[in-house]
Amino acid sequence: AQSVAQPEDQVNVAEGNPLTVKCTYSVSGNPYLFWYVQYPNRGLQFLLKYITGDNLVKGSYGFEAEFNKSQTSFHLKKPSALVSDSALYFCAVRESNYQLIWGAGTKLIIKP
Amino acid sequence: GAVVSQHPSRVICKSGTSVKIECRSLDFQATTMFWYRQFPKQSLMLMATSNEGSKATYEQGVEKDKFLINHASLTLSTLTVTSAHPEDSSFYICSAAGGSNSPLHFGNGTRLTVT
């Protein structure tokens, strides 16, 4: 069965520092991987996806993620964090019928 | 870009009443929509998959008679929480995909509070 793991419940980063939110996956076949962000009391917003092609994927708001097949990881990164990046981040893998298998979420806190 | 509109954003209702939540894809046709429930500080729980023109597929443990889903057109799916109880209070989110390999687009969610 496919699964997604986000090992950190919370990540704290100082504003201006680089940030990484970790995600590992387990799939049979080629993975379709996604990152979504959720702001308080809001729905989710799509950040970026990996389907095929370059391992480094660039997305919205300056975020990027690196697909690493050997380590089965898809970590979310940003070179310089902003306080406004504070939110809940979800990694997900898609099954063939569009259903997403979700990670548990990581709360990102950026301190000024 | 693709937008999914979810209405209402907040609703407070009395125990025993029913509440309808609408999910609309505004600029694309969605043959499949998904309904999620999110508990505080937890990830999304898929409740059901809504297919246009056919019955919804419910996840294990989700009461189909309590959470009625209707997907009458390619742009509208509704979730009705029937005979609501306080334990139904939660954040409900819908999503839809515009096509193969397209990311899911999410509504802004509905905060349901049952008193």
Side-chain angles (χ1 to χ4, degrees), chain A residues 10 16 23-24 27-28 37 47-48 59 66 68 72-73 79 84 92 107:
Chain A
Q10 182 170 311
C23 172
T24 59
V27 302
S28 55
V37 58
L47 275 181
L48 50 81
E66 185 170 10
N68 188 316
T72 62
S73 67
S84 57
K107 186 175 183 180

Side-chain angles (χ1 to χ4, degrees), chain A residues 36 38 41 43 49 94 103, chain B residues 38 43 100-102 104 108 111:
Chain A
Y36 287 83
Q38 184 181 30
N41 290 313
K49 66 177 179 179
R94 171 185 282 183
Chain B
Q38 185 178 34
S43 187
S100 60
N101 292 340
S102 297
L104 286 177
N108 280 336
R111 172 71 62 192

Side-chain angles (χ1 to χ4, degrees), chain A residues 38 40-42, chain B residues 6 8-12 21 38-40 89-92 108-113:
Chain A
Q38 184 181 30
N41 290 313
R42 299 290 300 277
Chain B
Q6 188 172 339
S9 58
R10 292 178 181 270
V11 58
I12 301 173
I21 303 170
Q38 185 178 34
F39 295 96
S89 298
S90 191
F91 194 58
Y92 295 87
N108 280 336
T110 298
R111 172 71 62 192
L112 171 63
T113 303

